[in-house]
Amino acid sequence: MSSQHEKPAKKHSREWFEALVIAAIFATVLRIFVVESYRIPTGSMENTLLAGDFLFVNKYVYGARVPLAGFRLPAVESVDRGDVIVFKFPKDRSLNYIKRCIAVSGDTLEIREQQLYVNGKAFPLPEHAQFIGQKVPPAAADFQIFPKYSSFNKDNYGPLRIPRKGDVIVLNAETYQLYSSLVADEGHDISLMGVQVYVDGVPVKQYTVQDNYYFAMGDNRDNSLDSRYWGFLPERDIVGEAMMVYWSWDPGIPLLFDPLGKIFSARWQRIGLMVH
């Protein structure tokens, strides 16, 4: 009698195990290729997105990356100006950043007294964007700004053309700070000796760009570590487009020490908010 009961029990356990494995595989595929959850850690996108917002990121829209394969699936749409995008931080790809795409490959960008211009046309400030600091005058150069040693600052920047795949860029002592990180990130050794630029040990005067690039900025313009500080965003680092806030609470309240306070800090009005 006991052996007759053991067989159905084993079969039932195996079916549950198989169901769990299938569910895990499905969830993994969904996370890698379709939608992933992301938490906003800082205030760089205020007041469009707040620290403590949790949102879904659409990964298939720009073509999800295939792990370990070195290529992306076909894109449904291209990255456009105004898209809120999640990407691997080019200076530390273990980190995910979220910013707004301000300019795409081939665009010319300029900021004059906080007003952004793309291809000579005023780019409107996003609805919930803000300035929280004092306006910096044009003559005040900021050497933390990209490229180093330029006359740019956060409120007066450019004009600067965003590189596009196939562009032939001039490499010399004047453009070295502008393009050296791009060339290095595309897998080459680049150096400057005197006025001569060397790529992979060979003296060169020009270089053909291998990827498309973008320029990203936070909506909280005075509190955002963005392309104004670290440069061009490679297309290969873009993860996806922000879709919707599915949860939000105050990140300053510790869950471990004040669980009720954490729960009651939920921002119910933000749940279901579409990101744009």
Side-chain angles (χ1 to χ4, degrees), residues 71-202:
F71 68 91
R72 305 177 77 113
L73 296 178
V76 177
E77 297 178 4
S78 59
V79 181
D80 201 2
R81 306 177 198 93
D83 289 355
V84 178
I85 57 176
V86 172
F87 54 91
K88 299 293 182 184
F89 181 40
K91 302 303 180 183
D92 181 356
R93 290 185 170 90
S94 67
L95 303 175
N96 284 330
Y97 270 31
I98 183 166
K99 307 290 179 188
R100 189 178 297 275
C101 176
I102 298 301
V104 301
S105 307
D107 283 347
T108 297
L109 170 146
E110 186 175 8
I111 303 172
R112 298 197 297 268
E113 296 186 352
Q114 296 183 335
Q115 174 61 59
L116 173 66
Y117 297 87
V118 179
N119 300 327
K121 297 180 179 179
F123 189 98
L125 191 69
E127 181 181 1
H128 300 293
Q130 62 180 358
F131 295 94
I132 60 174
Q134 292 184 340
K135 186 182 293 187
V136 178
D142 183 350
F143 295 135
Q144 297 184 68
I145 291 288
F146 171 84
K148 287 185 178 180
Y149 314 120
S150 68
S151 60
F152 303 166
N153 61 52
K154 66 181 181 65
D155 294 331
N156 300 274
Y157 192 95
L160 181 69
R161 187 180 188 277
I162 314 305
R164 179 168 51 195
K165 184 176 181 179
D167 280 355
V168 178
I169 56 177
V170 175
L171 292 180
N172 55 37
E174 288 72 32
T175 64
Y176 182 79
Q177 293 295 334
L178 178 60
Y179 295 126
S180 59
S181 60
L182 180 155
V183 176
D185 202 45
E186 291 192 344
H188 301 281
D189 179 58
I190 182 170
S191 60
L192 177 67
M193 298 182 65
V195 296
Q196 179 63 59
V197 176
Y198 291 81
V199 174
D200 298 328
V202 178

Side-chain angles (χ1 to χ4, degrees), residues 248-261:
S248 181
W249 58 15
D250 186 347
I253 300 177
L255 179 61
L256 181 63
F257 299 107
D258 189 5
L260 287 179

Side-chain angles (χ1 to χ4, degrees), residues 216-228:
M217 290 172 59
D219 284 359
N220 192 356
R221 295 291 171 81
D222 293 327
N223 186 29
S224 175
L225 179 63
D226 52 41
S227 286
R228 292 171 296 176

